[in-house]
Amino acid sequence: MQPQGMVSSADAAASALEAGDGGSPSLIRTFLQGRGSSAVADGTFRNLMMLCSLSIFAIVAFIAWELVKGSSASIHEFGFAFFRTETWDPVSGEFGAWPFIYGTLVSSLLALLMAVPLAIGVAVFLTEMCPRPLRGPISFLTELLAAIPSVVYGLWAVFVLVPLMRDHIGPFLLKTLGWTGFFGGYNMGIGMLTASIILAIMILPIISSITREVMTAVPISQREAALALGATRWEMVRIGVLRNARIGIVGGVILGLGRALGETMAVTMVIGNSPQIAKSLFAPGYTLASVIANEFSEATGDLYLSALMEIGLALFLVTILVNALARLLVWAVTRGAPARVA
Amino acid sequence: MGVGIRVTNLNAWYGDNHTLQDINLHMPANNATALIGPSGCGKSTFVRCLNRMHETNPIARATGSVMMGDLDIYKDASPVEVRRRVGMVFQRPNPFPTMSIYDNVASGLRLNGFRNRRVLDEVVERSLRSAALWDEVKDDLKRKSGASISGGQQQRLCIARALAVDPEVLLMDEPASALDPVSTSKIEDLIFQLKSQYTIVIVTHNMQQAARVAENTGFFLNGKMIEFAATHKIFTNPTDKRTEDYITGRFG
Ligand SMILES: Nc1ncnc2c1ncn2[C@@H]1O[C@H](COP(=O)(O)OP(=O)(O)O)[C@@H](O)[C@H]1O
Ligand SMILES: [Mg+2]
């Protein structure tokens, strides 16, 4: 509460500042003294905030614990080999996670490969070149992409992207890049590449909006420093803006990667759901998240269920590992240089 | 080597604000010219018109002609070409914080695709020497970031960065106003050294600074150039009453 709020007129304000009769303290003094010491408030605030941040640790630890507990049967049966076994055969009771780990990593990294340049392009256009009146609508549209539920992306992929892939993009890639071996075999339109494309579209908005934010935060003086050296527009963006924003951009990319690794619905609808490792990106694959979603309800037998739990554990570990690696990379690249503009 | 600058009927606007009105003057080659005047009178705007930095502001506009030697910078060249020939040092030091000291100085040449290591090494050393910074940073050229040195050193780094592309003109907008007196006097010595090779235009709020470094001085007031003359004349025997009032401290 503000002390001014207690008095209505200038006279009252004046008298509020003066000492009252008989040396009693002024209105404001009394008010301020009544506020008490800050020790309790500060202490409470600190503990409350600490509790909030500790709850995150607690939640993570709890999830990890539950996953380990749920998958203990599978861990006993297969040991560490679970993560590198290629067979997934519920009928004969053989379970290995490697095809799913492979599918998750490859689809997500391919998605990043496509989404990052595009997202940075969108952000550069929006912050440095776009005519002012178009800026709002375009950023709104990119952010709207993030709000579409993933099942809708999946439907769109099934009805639009899959035929497109089968009849146009696939044959074109086969003709131009077939010699690499990455685009060969039977192309049904569903498979690793289609899943990566839909993932790329889904993570584009988050990467581009974060990139846009950090680029906007780079001070004009850095742009002017580059321009004054005779930099062209692109050179100015490169050394005066992107270089200064790189840590924030990597942060955005990591968030996008996190989303790609865990994305379930849209991927399940187009990846083909076949636990195999193929060189051709036209071939179907499977991801950790998809196999859990697909098989959990029909898992019969404790070992099957336990193996699926361990798949969840694998997804958890992959996510943590990839994030740690990405941060290590940032640290290695930017070591010595300050992270942001002074 | 520097070139002379002839400004004819220069007008500049920020939106509807007619910031510069009919500026005419001639700054001789290899001389330092000081620009003085109260805050907001248009000195920065004027300097930014000389390397076409003014037009990077979306609401800004300028008309008139600026000749640098034989080149009409608004007609015969793109902004990028102009800025390759005109170095600029800003009021607040703006080194690239993610680059080493070496990379900062080399950035102007590297931008233009210059890759020869040996020559780059030479240019970096020569520029840092000209900027009187070499002795202080030579041991951690590639280890330290451009932002990790002191403010005065950062400003000299920015000067070195501008000198590395061997400009014909060096624009300095209050280059010492964010610095302590020792750094300031270093920068002034530097300007004194540099003006034999470059045409220098320096904006300053400090009359002594103008008197020490500049052959000619221009006095700006409310977007107009009131008086332009030899520095000693401006400071001892100004023609215009308003100039006299300003330098004797009666306003501004
Ligand atoms: N970025 C800007 N946008 C709008 N008006 C500006 C901008 N920069 C300067 N001005 C206006 O232009 C006039 C001259 O400013 P400036 O050239 O910076 O003066 P000085 O450098 O002499 O202090 C001032 O009235 C100021 O308000
Ligand atoms: Mg100024």
Side-chain angles (χ1 to χ4, degrees), chain B residues 40 43-45 91 173-174 203 205:
Chain B
K43 306 179 297 290
S44 295
T45 309
Q91 181 168 0
D173 190 354
E174 301 187 40
V203 174
H205 271 297

Side-chain angles (χ1 to χ4, degrees), chain A residues 14-318:
Chain A
S15 68
L17 289 166
E18 283 160 14
D21 298 328
S24 69
S26 75
L27 204 58
I28 288 176
R29 268 295 104 225
T30 320
F31 170 77
L32 289 175
Q33 272 158 10
R35 301 273 294 149
S37 117
S38 70
V40 176
D42 281 349
T44 314
F45 181 68
R46 219 192 77 199
N47 292 334
L48 207 65
M49 294 302 114
M50 191 129 92
L51 208 68
C52 290
S53 68
L54 284 181
S55 71
I56 306 239
F57 285 99
I59 291 170
V60 171
F62 182 67
I63 292 176
W65 167 245
E66 282 296 323
L67 283 172
V68 170
K69 207 173 69 177
S71 52
S72 61
S74 162
I75 293 174
H76 271 288
E77 179 79 22
F78 306 111
F80 197 73
F82 180 79
F83 296 110
R84 26 182 187 84
T85 306
E86 274 195 41
T87 337
W88 179 265
D89 187 356
V91 180
S92 63
E94 263 193 87
F95 298 102
W98 180 237
F100 309 105
I101 296 177
Y102 174 86
T104 300
L105 287 177
V106 170
S107 61
S108 299
L109 292 180
L110 275 179
L112 277 193
L113 219 59
M114 291 181 264
V116 170
L118 206 61
I120 292 181
V122 170
V124 166
F125 177 75
L126 281 176
T127 52
E128 310 292 332
M129 299 166 188
C130 185
R132 224 157 257 270
L134 281 180
R135 232 174 254 190
I138 296 182
S139 4
F140 177 71
L141 273 180
T142 38
E143 263 138 56
L144 205 64
L145 278 181
I148 300 175
S150 67
V151 66
V152 177
Y153 277 105
L155 276 178
W156 178 81
V158 166
F159 288 112
V160 181
L161 192 57
V162 169
L164 204 67
M165 198 66 203
R166 187 181 53 219
D167 303 332
H168 301 285
I169 305 176
F172 173 78
L173 287 172
L174 180 63
K175 207 166 65 192
T176 51
L177 292 168
W179 54 271
T180 58
F182 289 121
F183 308 98
Y186 185 52
N187 171 20
M188 297 179 292
I190 56 175
M192 193 67 93
L193 187 59
T194 314
S196 309
I197 292 176
I198 198 70
L199 275 179
I201 297 173
M202 294 174 74
I203 62 177
L204 177 76
I206 183 149
I207 302 180
S208 80
S209 61
I210 289 178
T211 303
R212 188 163 52 81
E213 290 302 324
V214 292
M215 285 178 67
T216 317
V218 174
I220 300 277
S221 72
Q222 287 287 306
R223 293 176 172 82
E224 294 190 332
L227 284 178
L229 288 168
T232 61
R233 185 92 77 121
W234 160 241
E235 290 161 348
M236 180 273 281
V237 168
R238 189 162 56 84
I239 74 167
V241 184
L242 288 181
R243 222 188 134 97
N244 287 316
R246 61 191 179 183
I247 290 193
I249 295 175
V250 172
V253 171
I254 291 177
L255 274 181
L257 180 60
R259 177 154 191 210
L261 289 170
E263 175 50 41
T264 312
M265 205 55 219
V267 172
T268 309
M269 291 165 85
V270 296
I271 199 168
N273 300 330
S274 155
Q276 62 175 52
I277 293 174
K279 188 182 181 195
S280 171
L281 299 176
F282 292 156
Y286 221 155
T287 67
L288 293 161
S290 305
V291 73
I292 297 175
N294 269 336
E295 303 189 5
F296 209 79
S297 55
E298 58 200 44
T300 47
D302 290 344
L303 189 61
Y304 194 178
L305 210 57
S306 176
L308 281 176
M309 283 297 258
E310 198 172 353
I311 292 274
L313 184 64
L315 182 53
F316 189 73
L317 292 178
V318 164

